[in-house]
Amino acid sequence: LLPRADRVVVMSEVERHRFAAAGDRVQVIHNAVLSLPTVAEAPALDALAGRPGPLVGVVGRLSPEKGVDVLLRAVRLLADRGTPVRLAVAG
């Protein structure tokens, strides 16, 4: 597909170099960093407020390569051991 692509979008200059053969068709769009919403802006976080344990979260596409399943298993292991943890997943 690469030779026929009109545009190749990557997320870093390192990736741009990996696709150097695509020449000027490569465009870098850096990952965005967003501020976290307040509880008022994200009512679902209300359920996590005031509970014990650290808040662990993931924001991203819910696809296998992101490893959200690994995070879910880790949180389950902690819960089974009696270690309090709060989890927020957005994707």
Side-chain angles (χ1 to χ4, degrees), residues 2-83:
L2 187 59
R4 292 179 176 237
D6 294 325
R7 174 88 46 207
V8 178
V9 178
V10 297
M11 292 183 283
S12 69
E13 292 300 326
V14 171
E15 292 296 315
R16 180 195 299 267
H17 292 295
R18 283 187 170 164
F19 291 93
D24 62 354
R25 294 179 296 140
V26 179
Q27 179 178 357
V28 177
I29 299 178
H30 297 281
N31 281 334
V33 176
L34 306 172
S35 62
L36 293 174
T38 65
V39 171
E41 295 168 331
L45 292 177
D46 269 340
L48 299 173
R51 293 188 178 207
L55 175 60
V56 177
V58 60
V59 177
R61 189 176 72 243
L62 299 179
S63 56
E65 70 272 9
K66 298 296 184 177
V68 176
D69 60 321
V70 176
L71 175 62
L72 292 172
R73 283 195 296 276
V75 168
R76 176 60 188 253
L77 287 171
L78 290 170
D80 288 348
R81 293 178 183 171
T83 302

